[in-house]
């Protein structure tokens, strides 16, 4: 019972705790992922809004205004310049020999060698004196061009660039921008901090006319307001070797009017650092598999994948296994990034793009089972959604750990309860076992058994009650045994043991035939006359005295008392114990009765006489009247013994002829008369 109740209680409590704990941990894991996603969303929004404010402030800066006017004027002057043939050739060689081959290798696309040569004279001039001087097209080459503002050609443009170029250089180096462009009102890129292929190009008619930068420029200029800030989505910026770039464009000028536009190129790291926490995923609660990334309306990533950063060799196979086209996965691994490469599909993106936020579980681009938290990024000009994901196995690892701990704890509790129950069961059942053993002993007849009282509890009370019961049974059994012994003694006084045994066994008719038995029938003469002068108590007392004397005489003579009557006594010899001298014993017993009576008369001054008859022969003994027990003796010998004692009215001991014949040598007889036995006379003799 203790084990059952304890186990059921432990199971119920464990189940309730398990369900509640599991649900709480499950919800906590999802809430944590949602919190991280919301934090990243907020940080991204703040960062983009901050760069927009910075762009707006910088476009209003007096240096920017002065530089715009000076460079615009210098660029216009260059429209009338003719580029020398050698410089023209050097410019063509730059694209044909260095830039276009590097671009094609990087992007895998095909470009014409003259595709990026500006159509305007001013454009070709400044590219020849700036862009074409980048001989390496690597980081060192671009860093060198960042510090080169004087074209060395003595033009107004070079003078203005040398004077104001440091302002743009500091924007790039201090703010971490990828590039800063200055455009005039006709779409010409009149300045670039890194002096790349976009320098001198026209966004309205040049090779970059279909770019997002061109669209943003036209939108910003169309407002004719310095308060305008236009931000673009990522695009593959060809002048940067196809690297995804996004732009912030703001008109340059003041309340009197605008002179151009400032275009800030945001690097990939700007977005990636915010979304990855500067690659600090694990330290910011995303474990070993979690990440937060951006997805555009086209279903492509707008930030880098953690898998590409941490496991570039495994990324391709893992991404392909979960639905990414092999070409896209391979390309992402090659360039070490997933922006505008890695496609993202599924319910999370669809719901987020419809403006919903929430969480779900399912497969994603890198895992078969992930927990995903999704929501839109509310920033003007961008149609992005924020996705936070983590492998389900890791997200719910605390749940699994909790489940394991609960199960282990529950099993431990169950084992402890089982062991405790076994121990307590031994303690509880020990007194019961003692009682059971004692009860068996009582059932086997051992009423002397006692059990230790034990503790002062129900078992102790039960033990005490059992001891009291055993003592009571022992006393009652003793009384019963004493009563049984008394009954046996009384029964044996009423009948022979053989008859008593048959009676106890329930026999209805109990008789026994005996062939050689001597019978003595004695009666008192004159006792009735004597008793009239006595009280009832005195009469019974004197009669008992005589009967005890007769019993003692029977015992001495070896005869058996058959029954006692008021004033009479019937005995036999050889009835119960066969004796060859039963006749002699019977005669001696009769003579002993006379002696007993003589002593009684002498003691009490009475004159009571004795008349006894003795015969021998076949008799029958048995119980008469079952409801009122009476052991009796009958037969010819009994009948003759009764009759011979009455052959004369005088006291004396009278015997039959056969008795006289068998004891004539021992006892002296005199003839007393005759009785009729079966139609003929038989002599009766009297002891002299």
């Amino acid at each position: 019972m203790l084990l059952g109740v304890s186990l059921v209680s432990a199971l119920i409590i464990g189940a309730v705790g398990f369900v509640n704990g599991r649900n709480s941990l499950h919800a906590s894991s999802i809430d944590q992922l949602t919190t991280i996603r919301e934090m990243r969303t907020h940080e991204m929004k703040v960062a983009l809004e901050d760069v927009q404010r910075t762009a707006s402030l910088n476009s209003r800066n007096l240096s920017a205004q002065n530089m715009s006017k000076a460079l615009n004027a210098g660029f216009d002057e260059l429209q009338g310049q003719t580029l020398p043939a050698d410089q023209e050739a050097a410019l063509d060689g730059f694209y044909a020999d260095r830039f276009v081959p590097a671009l094609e290798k990087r992007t895998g696309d095909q470009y014409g060698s003259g595709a990026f040569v500006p159509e305007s004279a001013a454009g070709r001039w400044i590219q020849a004196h700036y862009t074409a001087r980048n001989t390496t097209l690597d980081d060192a080459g671009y860093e060198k061009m960042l510090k080169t503002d004087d074209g060395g050609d003595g033009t107004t443009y070079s003078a203005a660039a040398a004077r104001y170029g440091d302002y743009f250089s500091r924007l790039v180096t201090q703010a971490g921008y990828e590039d800063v462009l200055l455009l005039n009102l006709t779409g010409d890129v009149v300045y670039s901090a890194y002096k790349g292929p976009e320098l001198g190009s026209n966004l309205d008619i040049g090779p970059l006319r279909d770019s997002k930068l061109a669209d943003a420029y036209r939108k910003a200029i169309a407002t004719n307001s310095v308060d305008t800030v236009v931000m673009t989505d990522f695009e593959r910026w060809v002048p940067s070797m196809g690297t995804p770039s996004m732009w912030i464009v703001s008109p340059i000028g003041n309340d009197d009017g605008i002179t151009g536009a400032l275009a800030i190129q945001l690097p990939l790291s700007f977005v990636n650092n915010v979304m990855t926490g500067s690659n600090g995923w694990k330290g910011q609660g995303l474990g070993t598999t979690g990440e937060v990334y951006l997805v555009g309306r086209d279903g492509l990533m707008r930030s880098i994948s953690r898998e590409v950063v941490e496991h570039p060799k495994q990324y391709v196979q893992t991404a392909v296994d979960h639905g990414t086209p092999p070409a896209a996965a391979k390309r992402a691994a090659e360039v070490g990034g997933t922006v505008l490469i890695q496609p993202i599909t599924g319910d999370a993106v669809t719901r987020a793009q419809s403006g919903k936020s929430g969480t779900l579980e399912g497969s994603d681009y890198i895992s078969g089972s992930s927990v995903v938290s999704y929501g839109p990024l509310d920033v003007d000009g961008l149609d992005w959604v924020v996705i936070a994901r983590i492998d389900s196995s890791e997200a719910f690892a605390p749940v699994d750990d909790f489940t394991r701990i609960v199960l282990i704890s529950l099993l431990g509790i169950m084992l402890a309860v089982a062991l405790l129950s076994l121990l307590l069961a031994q303690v509880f059942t020990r007194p019961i076992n003692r009682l059971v053993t004692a009860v068996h002993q009582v059932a086997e007849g051992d009423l002397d058994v006692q059990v230790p009282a034990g503790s002062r509890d129900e078992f102790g009370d039960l033990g005490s009650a059992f001891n009291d019961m055993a003592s009571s049974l022992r006393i009652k059994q003793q009384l019963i045994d004493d009563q049984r012994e008394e009954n046996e003694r009384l029964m044996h006084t009423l009948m022979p043991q053989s008859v008593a045994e048959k009676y106890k066994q329930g026999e209805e008719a109990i008789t026994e035939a005996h062939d050689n038995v001597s019978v003595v029938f004695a009666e008192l003469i004159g006792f009735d006359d004597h008793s009239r002068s006595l009280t009832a108590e005195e009469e019974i007392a004197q009669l008992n005295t005589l009967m005890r004397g007769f019993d003692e005489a029977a015992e001495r003579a070896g005869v058996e008392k058959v029954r006692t009557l008021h004033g009479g006594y019937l005995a036999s010899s050889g009835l119960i114990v066969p004796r060859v001298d039963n006749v002699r014993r019977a005669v001696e017993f009769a003579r002993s009765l006379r002696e007993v009576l003589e002593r009684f008369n002498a003691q009490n001054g009475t004159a009571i006489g004795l008349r006894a008859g003795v015969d021998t022969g076949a008799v029958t003994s048995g119980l008469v009247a079952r409801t009122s027990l009476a052991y009796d003796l009958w037969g010819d010998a009994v009948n003759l013994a009764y009759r011979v004692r009455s052959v004369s009215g005088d006291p004396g001991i009278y015997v039959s002829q056969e008795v006289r014949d068998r004891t004539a040598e021992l006892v002296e007889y005199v003839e007393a008369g005759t009785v009729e036995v079966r139609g003929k006379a038989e002599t009766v003799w009297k002891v002299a």
Side-chain angles (χ1 to χ4, degrees):
M1 290 174 63
L2 175 63
L3 178 61
V5 171
S6 300
L7 291 183
V8 170
S9 300
L11 288 174
I12 292 175
I13 295 174
V16 172
F18 170 73
V19 172
N20 291 338
R22 185 180 179 88
N23 291 341
S24 297
L25 289 173
H26 192 280
S28 176
S29 298
I30 294 177
D31 290 344
Q32 181 180 359
L33 189 64
T34 300
T35 299
I36 294 173
R37 191 242 326 148
E38 291 177 347
M39 290 175 60
R40 290 286 186 271
T41 300
H42 176 72
E43 292 171 5
M44 191 74 256
K45 183 177 180 180
V46 169
L48 291 173
E49 290 175 347
D50 182 65
V51 76
Q52 290 182 64
R53 284 193 298 269
T54 301
S56 178
L57 291 173
N58 287 329
S59 67
R60 292 185 179 189
N61 189 282
L62 183 59
S63 296
Q65 295 180 36
N66 292 334
M67 185 175 184
S68 176
K69 294 176 183 179
L71 289 176
N72 287 345
F75 189 82
D76 291 340
E77 288 182 5
L78 292 177
Q79 295 290 16
Q81 296 288 339
T82 301
L83 190 64
D86 58 336
Q87 293 184 354
E88 189 80 42
L91 179 60
D92 292 338
F94 168 77
Y95 283 107
D97 299 333
R98 294 198 297 275
F99 181 77
V100 171
L103 177 62
E104 290 178 346
K105 181 178 180 181
R106 171 81 177 193
T107 63
D109 298 328
Q110 298 296 318
Y111 297 92
S113 60
F116 302 101
V117 177
E119 294 184 1
S120 66
R124 290 195 298 276
W125 181 277
I126 59 177
Q127 280 204 4
H129 289 81
Y130 290 95
T131 305
R133 294 169 63 181
N134 188 347
T135 58
T136 58
L137 296 179
D138 55 11
D139 291 342
Y142 282 108
E143 287 297 323
K144 180 180 179 181
M145 296 309 300
L146 180 65
K147 300 176 182 179
T148 303
D149 291 318
D150 189 351
D153 55 3
T155 61
T156 303
Y157 177 89
S158 292
R163 180 178 180 183
Y164 296 104
D166 182 62
Y167 172 72
F168 282 87
S169 298
R170 283 188 283 108
L171 282 180
V172 172
T173 56
Q174 294 178 9
Y177 301 139
E178 186 71 18
D179 201 355
V180 178
L181 307 182
L182 191 64
L183 300 97
N184 60 19
L185 295 178
T186 59
D188 294 309
V189 179
V190 298
Y191 183 80
S192 169
Y194 280 108
K195 292 79 175 180
E198 63 267 68
L199 181 62
S201 180
N202 188 280
L203 298 184
D204 289 331
I205 61 174
L208 304 176
R209 60 184 177 274
D210 295 326
S211 66
K212 294 184 183 297
L213 172 60
D215 293 339
Y217 162 76
R218 287 188 285 268
K219 186 183 295 185
I221 293 300
T223 64
N224 197 34
S225 172
V226 294
D227 294 329
T228 300
V229 177
V230 180
M231 183 165 57
T232 72
D233 196 350
F234 275 111
E235 65 174 336
R236 294 196 176 279
W237 188 241
V238 176
S240 296
M241 296 294 176
T243 301
S245 301
M246 60 186 300
W247 298 90
I248 308 293
V249 181
S250 179
I252 298 175
N254 50 39
D255 295 338
D256 294 333
I258 62 174
T259 59
L262 178 68
I264 298 176
Q265 182 183 10
L266 297 181
L268 278 173
S269 59
F270 174 80
V271 173
N272 288 338
N273 287 340
V274 174
M275 299 310 296
T276 66
S278 298
N279 294 348
W281 294 281
K282 188 171 184 179
Q284 297 180 21
L286 289 170
T288 59
T289 62
E291 62 179 329
V292 185
Y293 55 84
L294 297 167
V295 181
R297 174 59 63 175
D298 57 3
L300 298 177
M301 269 192 177
R302 293 299 192 268
S303 60
I304 196 167
S305 166
R306 179 178 183 178
E307 190 73 5
V308 170
V309 176
E310 294 187 343
H311 309 101
K313 294 182 179 179
Q314 301 176 13
Y315 165 78
V316 176
Q317 187 62 49
T318 304
V320 170
D321 290 343
H322 293 89
T324 300
K330 184 177 180 181
R331 179 63 179 168
E334 288 176 352
V335 301
T338 54
V339 177
L340 299 180
I341 298 177
Q342 176 65 56
I344 303 295
T345 59
D347 292 340
V349 174
T350 302
R351 294 179 186 180
Q353 288 177 342
S354 65
K356 298 178 181 178
S357 298
T359 58
L360 55 80
E361 291 184 49
S363 60
D364 60 19
Y365 81 101
I366 208 70
S367 174
S369 178
S370 299
V371 180
V372 180
S373 178
Y374 58 87
L377 179 67
D378 187 17
V379 175
D380 292 338
L382 297 178
D383 192 4
W384 292 353
V385 297
V386 182
I387 304 295
R389 64 155 300 275
I390 188 171
D391 286 357
S392 297
S393 58
E394 181 176 15
F396 300 137
V399 178
D400 296 336
D401 292 341
F402 173 76
T403 301
R404 182 168 56 256
I405 291 172
V406 168
L407 291 177
I408 293 175
S409 300
L410 186 58
L411 290 175
I413 291 174
M414 294 173 67
L415 178 60
V417 169
L419 295 176
L420 181 61
S421 298
L422 291 175
L423 177 61
L424 293 179
Q426 295 296 322
V427 175
F428 291 160
T429 58
R430 188 176 298 116
I432 297 296
N433 291 332
R434 288 199 296 264
L435 283 173
V436 170
T437 302
V439 168
H440 286 312
Q441 290 178 306
V442 170
E444 293 171 358
D446 183 6
L447 298 181
D448 293 328
V449 63
Q450 293 282 296
V451 297
S455 58
R456 297 181 180 179
D457 54 15
E458 291 81 355
F459 294 119
D461 295 340
L462 183 60
S464 298
F466 176 83
N467 290 337
D468 293 341
M469 180 194 71
S471 298
S472 176
L473 289 176
R474 187 169 58 255
I475 293 172
K476 291 179 179 179
Q477 185 63 41
Q478 185 62 44
L479 294 175
I480 291 173
D481 292 342
D482 292 345
Q483 186 62 44
R484 182 184 296 110
E485 291 177 0
E486 181 64 19
N487 292 340
E488 291 284 343
R489 188 183 63 79
L490 291 176
M491 187 176 293
H492 290 161
T493 62
L494 295 175
M495 65 190 74
Q497 183 175 357
S498 61
V499 176
E501 292 298 328
K502 292 181 180 180
Y503 174 74
K504 287 189 293 182
Q505 293 174 4
E507 294 187 20
E508 294 292 335
I510 304 175
T511 59
E512 292 181 344
H514 309 275
D515 294 332
N516 184 21
V517 176
S518 295
V519 178
V520 178
F521 191 93
E523 62 178 344
L524 298 176
I525 298 174
F527 185 81
D528 289 338
D529 295 336
H530 169 69
S531 64
R532 292 189 183 97
S533 62
L534 302 174
T535 63
E537 290 77 7
E538 291 174 341
E539 179 184 3
I540 292 300
Q542 291 189 9
L543 185 59
N544 285 340
T545 300
L546 282 173
M547 292 302 109
R548 281 198 297 272
F550 290 173
D551 290 341
E552 292 173 357
E555 186 175 356
R556 288 194 301 271
V559 302
E560 303 92 4
K561 181 179 71 172
V562 176
R563 57 187 172 89
T564 302
L565 300 175
H566 181 74
Y569 195 94
L570 177 63
S572 65
S573 178
L575 178 68
I576 297 174
V577 179
R579 300 180 185 276
V580 295
D581 60 344
N582 58 78
V583 176
R584 179 187 63 79
R585 289 176 181 272
V587 174
E588 289 181 354
F589 170 66
R591 295 171 69 181
S592 298
L593 293 181
R594 187 168 57 183
E595 295 173 356
V596 170
L597 190 57
E598 289 174 353
R599 288 195 298 273
F600 178 83
N601 289 332
Q603 293 173 357
N604 294 281
T606 59
I608 299 172
L610 175 71
R611 187 166 52 228
V614 181
D615 189 17
T616 185
V619 299
T620 301
S621 65
L623 289 179
V624 179
R626 178 71 176 175
T627 57
S628 178
L629 291 179
Y631 180 74
D632 205 352
L633 193 68
W634 62 90
D636 293 342
V638 177
N639 184 44
L640 185 58
Y642 178 78
R643 292 177 62 191
V644 297
R645 66 112 175 89
S646 60
V647 71
S648 171
D650 298 330
I653 299 173
Y654 300 91
V655 301
S656 65
Q657 181 65 45
E658 185 175 355
V659 172
R660 187 257 178 191
D661 293 342
R662 294 174 63 177
T663 58
E665 296 178 358
L666 301 175
V667 181
E668 182 180 354
Y669 296 99
V670 295
E671 186 175 347
T674 62
V675 295
E676 185 177 348
V677 178
R678 294 185 180 89
K680 60 179 182 179
E682 183 172 339
T683 302
V684 177
W685 298 89
K686 180 180 180 181
V687 177

